[in-house]
Amino acid sequence: SLAYNFFPEKINIEKDVSMEDSKESWLKNCTLAMKIFEEGGIPSLLDPEDLAHVEAVEARSLQTYLSEIRKRLDPHPDDGNLS
């Protein structure tokens, strides 16, 4: 998960993350990730329930949230150069 990439010390994959393919698992995993991001100073711009039900997520809202995560955590911010 994206949260694990930036905060591996906060997630025990075997204990904290559900690998089941169900909406309940998605909700659990989204809630955990968003909590970790909040602890890292990134405000929740979406509800975990919205992310758990992907068909209900507005694309721009998701893009905004992911952009905020990247902006705050990426050690090498994009300088606008695509090469």
Side-chain angles (χ1 to χ4, degrees), residues 6 10 28-29 36 42 46 49 62 64 73:
F6 289 107
K10 293 186 179 234
K28 177 185 175 194
N29 294 341
I36 290 169
I42 299 166
L46 299 168
E49 291 82 10
L62 183 57
T64 300
L73 298 177

Side-chain angles (χ1 to χ4, degrees), residues 58-75:
E58 182 181 296
R60 288 188 184 197
S61 296
L62 183 57
Q63 289 171 343
T64 300
Y65 184 54
L66 293 173
S67 176
E68 190 66 24
I69 292 169
R70 181 175 182 221
K71 180 170 68 172
R72 295 202 186 208
L73 298 177
D74 190 350

Side-chain angles (χ1 to χ4, degrees), residues 5 7 9 14 16 24 30 32-33 42 61 73 76 81 83:
N5 183 56
F7 302 103
E9 72 283 357
E14 292 178 10
D16 299 330
E24 292 79 20
C30 289
L32 174 63
I42 299 166
S61 296
L73 298 177
H76 307 290
N81 188 356
S83 58

Side-chain angles (χ1 to χ4, degrees), residues 20-31 48 51-52 54:
E20 294 177 27
D21 188 17
S22 69
K23 289 190 179 192
E24 292 79 20
S25 292
W26 275 88
L27 180 58
K28 177 185 175 194
N29 294 341
C30 289
T31 300
L51 290 176
V54 177

